[in-house]
Amino acid sequence: MSQNHPIQRQILPIPDQAHFGLTTYDAKNPDTHYPPIRDLRPPEGAPNVLVVLLDDVGFGASSAFGGPCHTPTFEKLASEGLKYTRFHTTALCAPTRQALLTGRNHHSVGMGNITETATAAPGQCSVRPNTKAPLALTLKLNGYSTAMLGKCHEVPVWQTSPMGPFDAWPTGGGGFEYFYGFIGGENNQWDPALYEGTIPIEPPATPEEGYHLTEDLADKAIAWVSQQKALMSDKPFFMYFAPGATHAPHHVPKEWIEKYKGQFTHGWDRQREITFVKQKDLGVIGPDAELTPRHAEIPAWDEMDPRYKPVLERQMEVYAAFLEHTDYQVGRLIAALEDLEILDDTLIYVIIGDNGASAEGTIHGAFNEMANFNGMAALETPEFMQSKLEEFGSPESYNHYAVGWAWAMDTPYQWTKQVASHWGGTRNGTIVRYPKAIQEKGGLRHQFSHVIDVAPTVLEVAGIPEPTMVNGVLQSPYEGTSMVYSFNEANVPERHDVQYFEMFGNRGIYYKGWSAITKHRTPWVMVGQTMVPFDEDVWELYDGSKDWSQAHDLAQQMPEKLHELQRQFLIEAVKYNVLPLDDRQTERIDPATAGRPSLVKGNSQIFFAGMGRLSENSVINVKNKSFSITAEIEVKDDQPANGVIIAQGGKFGGWSVYAKQGKLKFTYNVLGIHEFPTEATRPIPAGKHQVRMEFAYDGGGLAKGGNVTLYYDGQPVGSGRVEATQPMIFSADETTDIGYESGTPVSPDYTAHSSKFTGKIHWVQLDVGKDDHDHFISPEERLRIVMARQ
């Protein structure tokens, strides 16, 4: 295949071309001739591509866009390229990522929400249609090397087990040849659940040895690109670098935190004023832009309980350090490209956030953000928070900052992440650097743009057409608009002039400078929020040609214009599978209610030793109901039983059935705040035995307690009490393991390194009640049934 011969690239894989010349009998015949085999390459001059996507960073956080968090790498890249000041995301992580990777709107690719709340509706199902192939696959099939490092939150939850299927994984159907990172919405930066390809692996070091996930991702990215250029110097690469930073938990080495000590004593109201002035000086907001006021749902800094103030300051110090630390790791990768002398051959996108800053940390912030996701934030009292002050950001924490700080990080706009209606939820500062196509250095671009514009931009710069067919499936067109037209014309009229937004019922429409929007749901109220009917939502109207920050609502003065845009929203909503609107949140966690598949069916599940890294969606749900664990084990004659039989979750919430100094033990850990242990009265005898734990739920609602009974061979050997349970989720990243525990330990009785069971586990069975009142048959009857089955 000659590089000088035009190659048809609309059908992928590119069809092989058969040889139709003379075929000789003897290869030594002088007339024998075949064109040399040539590896597939993109069109001549196609650049390397690096897309950096950060997590949960608001428009007003990075110093490159006027924020208080020092990001010198981003500032330098911007000084050598362009800053796009009206670039938009979807207001939530997984939807933004799937839109970025496909060039289509998030509902078009089934990602109207996060994967954990997928429903059966086409726009909410979390399954990408095969008519919308991802950008990475298109580039790979055109001769690019492809790699992804970091967060993948696009895999349907029922496909996240070790058995796949892997069609939606980065190295499955995602088009990436290499993946190193994690599957899901967030991860512990100190002790992450990592995958290389589709294989679960353990971190290469411990926090005590200096490990941090963002640093590890940068190391792997540098190693991959160095090897790629060493072995395939003529082949361009596409690298998607998507660290979990700065999503909660906010984890960062303490020396980075100390750099910000005392810098946020003025609070979030004053911080917005400081940031606003800097943004005006930088020109990243319009000269007539106004600082939008604080909504009544967000408390003023001066109204906060003085007991919280030191903790609140520390939360922001930690977050600022986390973002600066992330900027430094991106800088290491940029320096590696420069050392390889390929920096100027690389089209670089730095998208500073996949949505606005996160307001999911409650009014007071959180030491363990899972408390709020379980509706149990009240457990973190002022006294508790004060006692943990110095541990924020450390391996002992799973922390998040307060709503007020998220609002400040979205300066000058209203609202935050999840609020797709307002720019505070969707506007993210973005930097583009590629000196071979961009003449201006340090320029500003104010054209409206959206994350779906990245894919068509990359293809245009690379000289690759949108595919019409991929793997035999006819493709639908990209829904984004290439941004290349604005690279060298600062004042050219924008081409992306209509865009809908929707998330949890928060919705809006942008059309030729105007925006009509309505906030429907408050992001930090996870449980018990009363939803008004969609038709009763109050809409706002803004004229973007005069009102940069959506500060002046014109809905009352211009009802006809508002109606025109509301109608336009409905047109776009129908076009892109936005309907039906769905404002449910916690209800959608239950697969049966949501209408998505469950990996495991029924009320019983069996496991075997060595199984592990099973997500909560790979295991029967034990929350708000009775459950039991029955295991057949062998204990050595000369060694008392020790270690984990089965554990779910980790130090920030979960439960474990294990042996300690020979005795069976069950521990239920509520959010790392309360621990409820039950221990057998005598050791497990040597030999083969059946051990069992029964938890009898009290019933009568969510998060109730229950009684625990332990058995050896059907005979009771201990009892205890669990006073409260977690009703919604144990963890976003910890897993279920058999015979050991990965990640952080549920109980301080053991560490991850000492969790391996010392005897032999034949099988472990989990049984759950059908509802919160459904208990179990007698242990003797259960034993008879289990033994009869063998």
Side-chain angles (χ1 to χ4, degrees), residues 547-601:
D547 181 8
W548 184 282
S549 57
Q550 296 176 322
H552 296 283
D553 180 10
L554 303 175
Q556 296 297 320
Q557 296 96 305
M558 305 180 70
E560 292 184 2
K561 185 66 176 180
L562 175 61
H563 178 68
E564 174 191 332
L565 267 69
Q566 287 174 310
R567 184 172 55 197
Q568 188 65 47
F569 170 81
L570 288 174
I571 293 171
E572 298 297 302
V574 171
K575 185 189 303 184
Y576 296 117
N577 287 335
V578 180
L579 301 180
L581 298 174
D582 193 343
D583 59 5
R584 298 171 300 165
Q585 194 170 50
T586 54
E587 303 95 319
R588 290 168 56 169
I589 294 176
D590 175 37
T593 302
R596 64 176 177 269
S598 294
L599 178 66
V600 181
K601 312 297 191 296

Side-chain angles (χ1 to χ4, degrees), residues 70-90:
H70 303 304
T71 52
T73 298
F74 300 160
E75 290 183 36
K76 185 173 188 298
L77 288 171
S79 71
E80 299 168 347
L82 304 174
K83 280 193 272 194
Y84 281 82
T85 64
R86 294 169 69 231
F87 184 96
H88 297 81
T89 54
T90 71

Side-chain angles (χ1 to χ4, degrees), residues 73 212 214-216 218-219 222 241 256 324-334:
T73 298
H212 190 280
T214 317
E215 297 176 14
D216 186 18
D219 289 343
I222 292 168
F241 186 77
W256 291 80
E324 182 176 352
H325 177 263
T326 305
D327 173 271
Y328 180 80
Q329 306 311 320
V330 174
R332 292 175 54 219
L333 176 55
I334 298 299

Side-chain angles (χ1 to χ4, degrees), residues 608-750:
F608 299 96
M611 293 177 65
R613 293 288 291 277
L614 305 176
S615 69
E616 285 190 37
N617 289 284
S618 301
V619 177
I620 294 175
N621 184 13
V622 302
K623 302 174 192 74
N624 310 305
K625 62 186 72 172
S626 299
F627 71 99
S628 71
I629 298 293
T630 307
E632 184 173 280
I633 63 173
E634 278 189 59
V635 177
K636 300 176 182 178
D637 292 335
D638 59 345
Q639 186 178 13
N642 274 294
V644 168
I645 296 172
I646 180 172
Q648 182 174 49
K651 75 191 307 183
F652 304 107
W655 56 268
S656 178
V657 177
Y658 58 100
K660 181 184 180 184
Q661 296 176 348
K663 297 178 181 179
L664 185 67
K665 194 165 183 181
F666 171 74
T667 290
Y668 197 108
N669 174 353
V670 178
L671 299 167
I673 300 174
H674 297 301
E675 182 188 355
F676 301 104
T678 300
E679 187 175 40
T681 56
R682 55 186 173 85
I684 305 168
K688 183 188 289 189
H689 297 278
Q690 186 192 98
V691 297
R692 180 174 171 82
M693 184 286 302
E694 278 197 5
F695 174 71
Y697 190 64
D698 290 342
L702 304 179
K704 304 301 182 181
N707 294 319
V708 178
T709 309
L710 304 179
Y711 301 88
Y712 297 162
D713 299 321
Q715 299 302 310
V717 293
S719 62
R721 174 76 184 164
V722 172
E723 294 296 342
T725 56
Q726 291 182 214
M728 298 297 176
I729 185 173
F730 290 120
S731 173
D733 55 351
E734 299 278 4
T735 56
T736 299
D737 306 293
I738 316 302
Y740 74 105
E741 185 172 7
S742 63
T744 62
V746 167
S747 171
D749 282 346
Y750 58 85

